[in-house]
Amino acid sequence: KVPLMAAALRAHPRARAIFERTTERELSVVADLDLVELATAQDLPLACDGADTHLLTKARLDMLCPDVALIADLKTTQAATEWELRKSVTEYGYYQQSALYPHMARTAGLGDVRHFALVVVRSEEPYRAAVLRVTEESQRIGWQELLPAMALAARCYRLGEWPGWAEGVIDVDVAEWKRREMGR
Protein backbone atom coordinates (compact mmCIF):
# COMPACT_ATOMS: atom_id res chain seq x y z
CA LYS A 1 0.00 0.00 0.00
CA VAL A 2 2.78 2.42 0.89
CA PRO A 3 4.15 2.80 -2.67
CA LEU A 4 0.61 3.44 -3.95
CA MET A 5 -0.04 6.00 -1.22
CA ALA A 6 3.28 7.71 -1.94
CA ALA A 7 2.41 7.84 -5.64
CA ALA A 8 -0.93 9.49 -4.80
CA LEU A 9 0.89 12.11 -2.71
CA ARG A 10 3.42 12.79 -5.48
CA ALA A 11 0.60 13.13 -8.02
CA HIS A 12 -1.16 15.83 -5.96
CA PRO A 13 0.44 19.17 -6.95
CA ARG A 14 -0.13 20.94 -3.59
CA ALA A 15 1.02 17.96 -1.53
CA ARG A 16 4.11 17.59 -3.71
CA ALA A 17 4.89 21.32 -3.31
CA ILE A 18 4.69 21.00 0.48
CA PHE A 19 7.05 18.01 0.48
CA GLU A 20 9.49 19.87 -1.77
CA ARG A 21 9.49 22.94 0.52
CA THR A 22 9.90 20.97 3.75
CA THR A 23 13.21 21.69 5.48
CA GLU A 24 12.56 19.84 8.76
CA ARG A 25 10.66 16.59 9.32
CA GLU A 26 9.30 15.06 12.52
CA LEU A 27 10.53 17.95 14.61
CA SER A 28 9.70 17.89 18.33
CA VAL A 29 9.16 21.29 19.90
CA VAL A 30 8.63 22.13 23.55
CA ALA A 31 7.31 25.48 24.68
CA ASP A 32 6.19 27.04 27.95
CA LEU A 33 2.88 28.50 26.84
CA ASP A 34 1.58 31.62 28.55
CA LEU A 35 -2.17 30.92 28.61
CA VAL A 36 -3.10 34.49 29.54
CA GLU A 37 -1.12 35.81 26.58
CA LEU A 38 -2.78 33.25 24.32
CA ALA A 39 -6.28 34.10 25.56
CA THR A 40 -5.59 37.81 25.13
CA ALA A 41 -4.27 37.31 21.58
CA GLN A 42 -7.39 35.30 20.70
CA ASP A 43 -9.68 37.79 22.51
CA LEU A 44 -11.06 34.94 24.61
CA PRO A 45 -11.81 34.77 28.32
CA LEU A 46 -9.68 32.54 30.52
CA ALA A 47 -11.00 31.49 33.89
CA CYS A 48 -8.20 29.99 35.93
CA ASP A 49 -6.23 30.36 39.13
CA GLY A 50 -3.31 32.75 38.73
CA ALA A 51 -0.96 29.84 39.45
CA ASP A 52 -2.28 27.95 36.41
CA THR A 53 -1.40 30.35 33.63
CA HIS A 54 1.56 28.49 32.10
CA LEU A 55 1.73 25.04 30.57
CA LEU A 56 4.81 23.24 29.31
CA THR A 57 3.64 21.74 26.02
CA LYS A 58 5.21 19.43 23.45
CA ALA A 59 4.25 19.07 19.80
CA ARG A 60 5.56 16.86 17.03
CA LEU A 61 5.68 18.77 13.75
CA ASP A 62 5.63 16.47 10.73
CA MET A 63 6.84 19.08 8.24
CA LEU A 64 8.19 22.60 8.58
CA CYS A 65 8.24 24.81 5.47
CA PRO A 66 9.71 28.11 6.71
CA ASP A 67 9.88 29.82 3.29
CA VAL A 68 6.05 29.74 3.16
CA ALA A 69 5.52 30.02 6.95
CA LEU A 70 3.83 26.60 7.03
CA ILE A 71 3.54 23.60 9.32
CA ALA A 72 2.05 20.52 7.64
CA ASP A 73 0.88 17.30 9.18
CA LEU A 74 0.63 14.05 7.25
CA LYS A 75 -2.44 11.92 7.96
CA THR A 76 -3.78 8.70 6.54
CA THR A 77 -7.51 8.30 6.12
CA GLN A 78 -10.15 5.88 4.99
CA ALA A 79 -12.45 8.78 4.08
CA ALA A 80 -13.96 8.45 0.64
CA THR A 81 -15.77 11.80 0.48
CA GLU A 82 -15.04 15.43 1.36
CA TRP A 83 -17.80 15.19 3.98
CA GLU A 84 -15.91 12.35 5.66
CA LEU A 85 -12.69 14.41 5.56
CA ARG A 86 -14.49 17.32 7.25
CA LYS A 87 -15.92 14.92 9.84
CA SER A 88 -12.46 13.59 10.68
CA VAL A 89 -11.14 17.15 11.19
CA THR A 90 -13.75 17.51 13.92
CA GLU A 91 -13.62 13.99 15.37
CA TYR A 92 -9.85 13.91 15.75
CA GLY A 93 -9.44 17.53 16.86
CA TYR A 94 -7.36 18.58 13.86
CA TYR A 95 -8.97 22.04 14.07
CA GLN A 96 -7.37 22.38 17.51
CA GLN A 97 -4.04 21.16 16.17
CA SER A 98 -4.22 23.68 13.32
CA ALA A 99 -4.63 26.50 15.83
CA LEU A 100 -1.95 25.31 18.25
CA TYR A 101 0.92 24.12 16.04
CA PRO A 102 1.82 27.42 14.32
CA HIS A 103 1.81 29.11 17.73
CA MET A 104 4.02 26.34 19.14
CA ALA A 105 6.45 26.75 16.25
CA ARG A 106 6.68 30.53 16.78
CA THR A 107 7.07 30.15 20.55
CA ALA A 108 9.83 27.58 20.03
CA GLY A 109 11.72 30.07 17.83
CA LEU A 110 11.10 28.44 14.44
CA GLY A 111 10.23 31.70 12.71
CA ASP A 112 7.02 33.48 11.80
CA VAL A 113 4.98 30.33 11.07
CA ARG A 114 1.38 31.37 10.33
CA HIS A 115 -0.13 28.51 8.33
CA PHE A 116 -1.10 24.91 8.94
CA ALA A 117 -2.10 22.26 6.41
CA LEU A 118 -3.21 18.67 6.69
CA VAL A 119 -1.82 16.49 3.93
CA VAL A 120 -4.07 13.44 3.81
CA VAL A 121 -3.80 10.26 1.81
CA ARG A 122 -6.26 7.38 1.59
CA SER A 123 -4.88 4.16 3.01
CA GLU A 124 -6.97 1.98 0.72
CA GLU A 125 -8.16 2.03 -2.87
CA PRO A 126 -8.69 4.37 -4.51
CA TYR A 127 -5.48 5.93 -3.20
CA ARG A 128 -6.01 9.69 -3.29
CA ALA A 129 -4.41 12.67 -1.63
CA ALA A 130 -5.72 16.05 -0.52
CA VAL A 131 -4.44 19.15 1.23
CA LEU A 132 -6.79 20.57 3.85
CA ARG A 133 -6.70 24.04 5.37
CA VAL A 134 -8.78 24.57 8.51
CA THR A 135 -10.73 27.85 8.45
CA GLU A 136 -9.99 30.67 10.89
CA GLU A 137 -13.46 30.24 12.41
CA SER A 138 -12.76 26.57 13.13
CA GLN A 139 -9.35 27.43 14.57
CA ARG A 140 -11.07 29.94 16.87
CA ILE A 141 -13.37 27.15 18.07
CA GLY A 142 -10.21 25.14 18.66
CA TRP A 143 -8.80 27.88 20.87
CA GLN A 144 -12.10 28.16 22.74
CA GLU A 145 -11.79 24.49 23.62
CA LEU A 146 -8.02 24.34 24.10
CA LEU A 147 -7.54 27.25 26.49
CA PRO A 148 -9.80 25.98 29.30
CA ALA A 149 -8.45 22.44 28.82
CA MET A 150 -4.87 23.72 29.00
CA ALA A 151 -5.65 25.74 32.15
CA LEU A 152 -7.17 22.61 33.70
CA ALA A 153 -4.09 20.60 32.72
CA ALA A 154 -1.84 23.25 34.30
CA ARG A 155 -3.90 23.01 37.50
CA CYS A 156 -3.75 19.20 37.49
CA TYR A 157 0.04 19.21 37.03
CA ARG A 158 0.45 21.79 39.81
CA LEU A 159 -1.76 19.93 42.30
CA GLY A 160 -1.01 16.39 41.16
CA GLU A 161 -4.75 15.73 41.08
CA TRP A 162 -6.56 14.55 37.97
CA PRO A 163 -10.32 14.44 37.47
CA GLY A 164 -11.82 11.02 36.91
CA TRP A 165 -15.12 9.32 36.61
CA ALA A 166 -17.66 9.22 39.38
CA GLU A 167 -16.94 6.70 42.12
CA GLY A 168 -20.52 5.47 42.10
CA VAL A 169 -22.52 3.73 39.42
CA ILE A 170 -22.96 5.67 36.18
CA ASP A 171 -26.27 5.16 34.35
CA VAL A 172 -25.89 5.30 30.57
CA ASP A 173 -28.26 5.23 27.62
CA VAL A 174 -27.62 4.16 24.07
CA ALA A 175 -26.76 6.99 21.72
CA GLU A 176 -29.56 9.28 20.58
CA TRP A 177 -29.19 8.11 16.97
CA LYS A 178 -29.79 4.52 18.10
CA ARG A 179 -32.90 5.55 20.01
CA ARG A 180 -34.25 7.31 16.91
CA GLU A 181 -33.43 4.23 14.83
CA MET A 182 -35.53 2.14 17.18
CA GLY A 183 -38.41 4.65 17.07
CA ARG A 184 -37.97 5.92 20.63
Side-chain angles (χ1 to χ4, degrees), residues 60-109:
R60 182 78 164 183
L61 312 178
D62 284 354
M63 294 174 272
L64 173 64
C65 308
D67 68 327
V68 289
L70 173 74
I71 296 289
D73 207 55
L74 180 61
K75 303 287 186 196
T76 60
T77 184
Q78 293 180 347
T81 66
E82 284 187 27
W83 182 87
E84 290 173 311
L85 287 174
R86 285 182 174 89
K87 183 178 174 203
S88 67
V89 167
T90 301
E91 284 183 346
Y92 298 118
Y94 298 150
Y95 62 103
Q96 295 170 341
Q97 182 184 15
S98 73
L100 180 61
Y101 275 29
H103 180 79
M104 289 283 299
R106 289 190 306 274
T107 303

Side-chain angles (χ1 to χ4, degrees), residues 23-174:
T23 60
E24 302 286 337
R25 288 178 170 71
E26 296 193 28
L27 182 64
S28 292
V29 295
V30 177
D32 183 18
L33 298 183
D34 182 331
L35 303 181
V36 173
E37 178 186 293
L38 264 171
T40 302
Q42 298 302 318
D43 195 28
L44 292 170
L46 180 66
C48 68
D49 184 295
D52 304 323
T53 60
H54 282 79
L55 183 64
L56 190 62
T57 308
K58 180 180 178 181
R60 182 78 164 183
L61 312 178
D62 284 354
M63 294 174 272
L64 173 64
C65 308
D67 68 327
V68 289
L70 173 74
I71 296 289
D73 207 55
L74 180 61
K75 303 287 186 196
T76 60
T77 184
Q78 293 180 347
T81 66
E82 284 187 27
W83 182 87
E84 290 173 311
L85 287 174
R86 285 182 174 89
K87 183 178 174 203
S88 67
V89 167
T90 301
E91 284 183 346
Y92 298 118
Y94 298 150
Y95 62 103
Q96 295 170 341
Q97 182 184 15
S98 73
L100 180 61
Y101 275 29
H103 180 79
M104 289 283 299
R106 289 190 306 274
T107 303
L110 296 177
D112 191 28
V113 178
R114 297 286 167 193
H115 308 289
F116 181 87
L118 291 163
V119 179
V120 297
V121 61
R122 274 184 50 89
S123 57
E124 56 190 49
E125 291 186 50
Y127 300 100
R128 294 186 290 212
V131 175
L132 310 177
R133 179 176 49 209
V134 176
T135 66
E136 286 184 28
E137 179 183 352
S138 293
Q139 288 181 34
R140 181 164 175 77
I141 292 169
W143 281 122
Q144 288 173 319
E145 294 173 349
L146 280 170
L147 285 166
M150 293 169 95
L152 175 60
R155 180 178 184 275
C156 292
Y157 278 115
R158 180 174 58 84
L159 297 177
E161 298 173 6
W162 299 85
W165 293 324
E167 291 183 13
V169 175
I170 302 170
D171 293 325
V172 296
D173 290 322
V174 296

